[in-house]
Amino acid sequence: MGSDTRTRFLDAGTQLFRRQGYSATGVKQLVELGQAPLGSLYHYFPGGKEQVALEGIERAAGRYEVLLERVFARYPDVGDVALAWFAMAATALRQSDFRDGCPIGTLAGEVAVTHDALRDAGRSVFTDWQRRVAARLREVGLSAREARRLATFAVASLEGAILLARVQRSTNPLTDTGRVVAETLRRAVSNTGD
Amino acid sequence: MGSDTRTRFLDAGTQLFRRQGYSATGVKQLVELGQAPLGSLYHYFPGGKEQVALEGIERAAGRYEVLLERVFARYPDVGDVALAWFAMAATALRQSDFRDGCPIGTLAGEVAVTHDALRDAGRSVFTDWQRRVAARLREVGLSAREARRLATFAVASLEGAILLARVQRSTNPLTDTGRVVAETLRRAVSNTGD
């Protein structure tokens, strides 16, 4: 029961922050959507809204980590990995009527200058993604430098395509960008065999 | 004098929205940074904060349009165009201690779900950039479809790299992503000559 309430607050925060933004979300809304009293919010999250956001980022990061490793395990080709990842983002946007973009990127972009703890949490997640993608690219033969560069490029392109898709209310930016990213990664890997 | 005041409000809004976000910015802050009374704000912008944001987006879009055409005129190679564009974003971030990201992307990403007029303004700007880049890619020989796809990819990658750079407080995401985007565009163009 207690952990249900905790989870409901995290769910509420994640949804509100990624859709309407961090600053626009009040504690009152967290309590309403979380369906528990204000005292309960501060019981589970003494740091209030910021703590909900921080733990929401960590939880989302953990889920994406599992998803990313699953996609890595499923697709030997790095181009297919990229296509799967962009397709998942497109599905999430379509299913939420273009409301649910990246829960890390949307939040971190808004508060990057004003909330150091949230920005640092976002930075850690992006860095972790870059490292994981770079590790995979090294496994298939790229140099450390090239792997790092392409991993950063892939993560940046995904985040930007999600932003365009939300703002343009269309999955085309994800389809178009995903295809080019996939081709670029495949070409880099095939060049290592030259 | 009157137009000075108007400009100061637009400058204030642009700076506050791109740094701390739209929701976090109050009319009071606009008035303080704009150094003019509240009545003056509503005289020039009867629609208040939203109108300041809308006109700020339009003004920024106009400036980027001029810059983009200048970069197009200066660099015949589309890879050089991309490098110049990513380098300008890096300079703006470095000079502002990683506070000034894209005034369109940061704002539109935050309010995409909650403020239709601002989202639509952001959508128009992104669409215009995509069209201009696609037109340039067509000029150098790409098919309409390939030009459209690569233009969307380039704009998305730039926006995502700016996001990563702000969150990670480093220009590396812009340098790394810019280089890959430049190589990808050059390769696409050189393939048309095959």
Side-chain angles (χ1 to χ4, degrees), chain B residues 36-117:
Chain B
L38 185 65
S40 177
L41 176 72
Y42 282 103
H43 169 72
Y44 289 111
F45 303 94
K49 184 171 88 162
E50 183 169 278
Q51 192 181 344
V52 175
L54 276 172
E55 294 196 23
I57 289 174
E58 280 167 26
R59 187 181 64 165
R63 289 177 176 175
Y64 283 123
E65 184 187 317
V66 170
L67 263 180
L68 186 56
E69 294 302 329
R70 201 176 294 162
V71 171
F72 280 156
R74 178 163 178 184
Y75 299 104
D77 176 79
V78 290
D80 290 341
V81 169
L83 290 178
W85 205 250
F86 277 80
M88 281 192 287
T91 300
L93 277 169
R94 211 166 23 226
Q95 287 179 347
S96 64
D97 191 30
F98 295 96
R99 290 185 291 183
D100 289 348
C102 175
I104 319 284
T106 310
L107 178 58
E110 178 192 349
V111 302
V113 175
T114 49
H115 291 75
D116 292 353

Side-chain angles (χ1 to χ4, degrees), chain B:
Chain B
M1 174 68 189
S3 82
D4 281 0
T5 308
R6 208 176 190 291
T7 301
R8 280 208 309 279
F9 281 130
L10 281 180
D11 291 344
T14 301
Q15 181 176 315
L16 291 166
F17 299 148
R18 88 195 300 194
R19 291 184 177 183
Q20 67 184 33
Y22 181 77
S23 301
T25 300
V27 167
K28 203 180 152 198
Q29 281 184 300
L30 283 175
V31 163
E32 278 169 11
L33 193 60
Q35 297 179 301
L38 185 65
S40 177
L41 176 72
Y42 282 103
H43 169 72
Y44 289 111
F45 303 94
K49 184 171 88 162
E50 183 169 278
Q51 192 181 344
V52 175
L54 276 172
E55 294 196 23
I57 289 174
E58 280 167 26
R59 187 181 64 165
R63 289 177 176 175
Y64 283 123
E65 184 187 317
V66 170
L67 263 180
L68 186 56
E69 294 302 329
R70 201 176 294 162
V71 171
F72 280 156
R74 178 163 178 184
Y75 299 104
D77 176 79
V78 290
D80 290 341
V81 169
L83 290 178
W85 205 250
F86 277 80
M88 281 192 287
T91 300
L93 277 169
R94 211 166 23 226
Q95 287 179 347
S96 64
D97 191 30
F98 295 96
R99 290 185 291 183
D100 289 348
C102 175
I104 319 284
T106 310
L107 178 58
E110 178 192 349
V111 302
V113 175
T114 49
H115 291 75
D116 292 353
L118 295 175
R119 182 195 63 229
D120 288 347
R123 166 162 61 184
S124 297
V125 179
F126 287 146
T127 303
D128 180 65
W129 292 349
Q130 287 163 269
R131 282 202 191 118
R132 286 174 192 275
V133 176
R136 174 62 181 262
L137 290 168
R138 290 218 64 186
E139 281 172 23
V140 291
L142 295 194
S143 71
R145 191 177 175 175
E146 187 71 356
R148 183 185 51 72
R149 184 187 296 157
L150 283 165
T152 299
F153 153 81
V155 174
S157 299
L158 173 67
E159 287 294 328
I162 292 173
L163 172 65
L164 257 66
R166 275 180 90 228
V167 172
Q168 300 189 316
R169 294 183 61 79
S170 161
T171 53
N172 289 343
L174 284 160
T175 312
D176 287 344
T177 305
R179 198 176 300 193
V180 180
V181 170
E183 286 165 5
T184 302
L185 297 182
R186 281 181 188 137
R187 192 176 298 110
V189 171
S190 72
N191 283 346
T192 63
D194 288 355

Side-chain angles (χ1 to χ4, degrees), chain A residues 2 24 39 45 58 88 90 115 120 137 144 152-153 161 169 176 182:
Chain A
F45 304 93
E58 280 167 26
M88 282 192 286
H115 291 76
D120 288 346
L137 290 169
T152 300
F153 153 81
R169 294 182 60 79
D176 287 344

Side-chain angles (χ1 to χ4, degrees), chain A residues 175-186:
Chain A
T175 312
D176 287 344
T177 305
R179 198 176 300 191
V180 180
V181 170
E183 287 165 5
T184 302
L185 297 182
R186 280 180 188 136

